[in-house]
Amino acid sequence: MQLTLLGTGCPKVNHKRFGPSNLVSTKKTSILIDCGSGVTQRLQEVKFSSADINALFLTHLHSDHVVDLYQLIISSWHSYRTKPWKIFGPKGTKKFVKKIMEAWKDERIQRIKYEQRSSIEAFNIIVTEFNRYGKIKINDLKIEYFLVDHKPVKYAYGFNFYYQRKKLTISGDTKPCENLMKYGQLTDVLLHEVFIEGEKDKITKMRTKKTLHNVKNYHTLSTMVGKVARIVRCKKLVLTHFVPTWFNEKKLINVVKKDFGKSPIIGKDLLKIKI
Ligand SMILES: [Zn+2]
Ligand SMILES: [Zn+2]
């Protein structure tokens, strides 16, 4: 299986790190995880058409992870998608998708009528909402989902992907979390979010101490992520969802290595990892 990092950024704009999104693929199957800002452009860069995606999995409904959902759907139609979209996400996904489709309904109807394309299946969206824990099979990929801790977000998930005795774990957005340490055990690759300590300490009128504290408090600090990886006993640790997106790479590697015992891979947009 292959993991492609499509977007390794966060809500703050950085033209080198697009919004959170990842692609997990085998020869037969491709699954998109989250659809942050710029996902369709990044898909095109790795020569993947949104028309071919088998399913979209959403970690949670924070805007940075779902903001390009409509762009994904509409561009898949323009790319001649001839099958429905299967979307798996937390409680609230059905309502969210319904509202988005509603917002663009008039424009879409006019466009469909005028452009007369042969299929409108791309607009047929089948949403499945997660329970607390579960397993889903998409062709040759087995996916396990589990709750992580991104409070006050009530429903945020991490994922395991299994393919030919290999395991990939994706943390989603979370603070250090027992479920991740439990379900991620002995994974081949742990893709984990990180909040980089010491890079964002500037307190300003807009970014108060309280704001900074609260943002830190629902993410995993760079001084913690190596400890999490050690407990998980992953073979490789790949970091993503960098807050902030501009930082000293060497410093980050050293901090994490101290706890993990091995150097982490600093994720970059378009990086491909074979698992
Ligand atoms: Zn989030
Ligand atoms: Zn996020």
Side-chain angles (χ1 to χ4, degrees):
M1 115 180 101
Q2 182 167 272
L3 165 66
T4 308
L5 309 187
L6 296 172
T8 59
C10 64
K12 202 158 184 201
V13 173
N14 177 331
H15 68 283
K16 292 200 168 156
R17 293 192 184 278
F18 284 13
S21 181
N22 296 290
L23 181 71
V24 178
S25 54
T26 67
K27 268 187 191 141
K28 280 189 194 162
T29 313
S30 50
I31 293 177
L32 194 61
I33 299 103
D34 290 337
C35 45
S37 175
V39 62
T40 49
Q41 288 84 348
R42 286 299 195 222
L43 275 172
Q44 197 204 32
E45 272 184 284
V46 292
K47 300 189 168 50
F48 236 94
S49 171
S50 50
D52 300 326
I53 303 284
N54 294 92
L56 168 67
F57 278 64
L58 301 175
T59 57
H60 63 307
L61 297 177
H62 259 164
S63 54
D64 52 324
H65 296 253
V66 291
V67 74
D68 267 9
L69 180 60
Y70 195 76
Q71 160 65 8
L72 179 69
I73 292 165
I74 193 79
S75 75
S76 77
W77 179 64
H78 286 292
S79 307
Y80 307 103
R81 186 178 176 95
T82 54
K83 56 189 175 195
W85 270 99
K86 284 183 191 164
I87 301 180
F88 298 85
K91 214 174 176 182
T93 305
K94 279 184 186 169
K95 189 173 154 198
F96 177 72
V97 169
K98 204 177 154 202
K99 279 186 171 176
I100 278 197
M101 295 309 285
E102 191 65 39
W104 294 98
K105 196 177 170 187
D106 294 345
E107 189 266 1
R108 189 170 60 249
I109 286 172
Q110 188 195 51
R111 198 183 273 271
I112 290 169
K113 213 174 152 194
Y114 183 72
E115 294 191 18
Q116 296 279 316
R117 289 171 195 252
S118 56
S119 173
I120 52 165
E121 274 303 292
F123 300 123
N124 180 7
I125 300 166
I126 304 154
V127 180
T128 308
E129 292 185 345
F130 297 139
N131 299 312
R132 296 178 67 80
Y133 166 88
K135 290 175 182 173
I136 293 163
K137 198 166 179 279
I138 309 274
N139 298 340
D140 52 357
L141 269 171
K142 282 180 193 150
I143 303 110
E144 187 178 35
Y145 64 84
F146 48 87
L147 274 172
V148 290
D149 187 356
H150 194 41
K151 284 184 201 80
V153 177
K154 206 171 169 189
Y155 303 105
Y157 291 85
F159 302 124
N160 283 324
F161 288 82
Y162 296 94
Y163 179 74
Q164 291 183 348
R165 276 182 277 164
K166 294 286 183 191
K167 176 176 175 180
L168 159 68
T169 303
I170 294 181
S171 71
D173 281 16
T174 184
K175 59 163 97 175
C177 157
E178 249 178 62
N179 258 358
L180 181 87
M181 296 178 216
K182 177 178 157 190
Y183 292 112
Q185 278 300 311
L186 296 170
T187 189
D188 292 282
V189 171
L190 171 62
L191 178 68
H192 206 294
E193 66 122 277
V194 67
F195 180 103
I196 306 154
E197 272 274 73
E199 293 279 355
K200 209 180 189 175
D201 288 330
K202 262 189 227 149
I203 306 292
T204 63
K205 251 191 201 163
M206 296 293 282
R207 178 166 278 278
T208 61
K209 249 188 175 170
K210 180 78 184 153
T211 305
L212 192 66
H213 170 83
N214 285 356
V215 173
K216 259 185 189 182
N217 215 30
Y218 64 2
H219 289 294
T220 300
L221 302 183
S222 43
T223 47
M224 288 301 294
V225 73
K227 295 180 179 83
V228 171
R230 185 182 272 269
I231 293 168
V232 166
R233 294 181 286 169
C234 57
K235 287 197 185 116
K236 261 186 206 168
L237 170 64
V238 184
L239 297 175
T240 189
H241 197 290
F242 298 96
V243 187
T245 53
W246 301 102
F247 56 91
N248 182 326
E249 277 192 27
K250 262 195 186 155
K251 218 164 120 188
L252 177 60
I253 290 172
N254 287 337
V255 167
V256 177
K257 193 179 173 183
K258 244 185 240 164
D259 294 323
F260 181 39
K262 290 182 261 185
S263 292
I265 296 167
I266 304 295
K268 291 193 167 54
D269 287 23
L270 307 176
L271 178 69
K272 289 179 183 172
I273 296 161
K274 279 238 148 46
I275 303 160

